[in-house]
Amino acid sequence: MPSLRALIDAGHDVALVITRPDRKRGRGGRLSPSPVKECAQELGLRVGHRLGDLDGVKVERGVVVAYGRLVPSELLERIPMLNVHFSLLPKWRGAAPVERAMLAGDEETGVSIMTLEPELDTAPCTWKKESRSTTRRSRRCSMNWPR
């Protein structure tokens, strides 16, 4: 939700937030919204659950954060999108970049912004911000992981 809050704090008009549908949680099986939906509602933003909810929405650009699926090229032709990727591209393209960086013991990590293309993480990086990792890989581990 920091990305969503940063967009709002920077004065951007967020027309629609798309996140996964509410899921059943707990023993009673009550529906629970995603943390993204909770944040969007707290900020007074409209929420959708499908890319089709963008039909008829007039926007200059979309921002994708941890979507995890390909966005159809027809939609990208209508709405150019930026992808916030939680790694220093191009090192950890694809799914689970944070986990891969941690498992590799990377001492430096960061965030990259790239234009979204129909293929997964293929566009060149347009902006990146490096930071030192706050986790350190321990050589002594209670589990015997294969190398």
Side-chain angles (χ1 to χ4, degrees):
M1 291 54 58
S3 298
L4 180 56
R5 289 187 188 280
L7 285 169
I8 296 297
D9 290 346
H12 294 284
D13 179 26
V14 177
L16 177 67
V17 174
I18 296 181
T19 185
R20 65 173 169 76
D22 298 353
R23 292 185 180 167
K24 290 184 179 180
R25 297 219 176 147
R27 292 181 181 226
R30 293 182 13 202
L31 287 178
S32 178
S34 72
V36 173
K37 183 175 182 177
E38 287 179 337
C39 179
Q41 289 176 327
E42 176 186 312
L43 294 168
L45 302 173
R46 188 172 143 214
V47 177
H49 298 290
R50 308 172 303 110
L51 290 179
D53 293 338
L54 285 166
D55 293 345
V57 176
K58 303 266 191 255
V59 295
E60 291 178 30
R61 182 166 307 273
V63 177
V64 175
V65 181
Y67 182 61
R69 295 190 180 133
L70 296 176
V71 175
S73 56
E74 304 81 42
L75 181 56
L76 293 174
E77 289 170 9
R78 190 168 58 86
I79 304 173
M81 298 187 187
L82 294 174
N83 183 28
V84 180
H85 191 81
F86 296 100
S87 79
L88 295 177
L89 292 170
K91 187 171 183 180
W92 299 118
R93 289 189 184 270
V98 174
E99 292 85 346
R100 287 183 182 167
M102 290 174 66
L103 288 171
D106 290 357
E107 291 186 15
E108 189 172 76
T109 187
V111 175
S112 300
I113 306 285
M114 66 181 161
T115 302
L116 196 62
E117 293 183 343
E119 301 82 25
L120 184 63
D121 295 343
T122 57
C125 181
T126 58
W127 179 90
K128 67 172 94 177
K129 172 79 172 164
E130 297 90 6
S131 67
R132 283 238 4 114
S133 176
T134 57
T135 59
R136 296 215 169 130
R137 184 173 153 184
S138 173
R139 296 277 179 210
R140 295 180 189 156
C141 187
S142 60
M143 303 174 99
N144 189 14
W145 293 94
R147 295 196 187 266

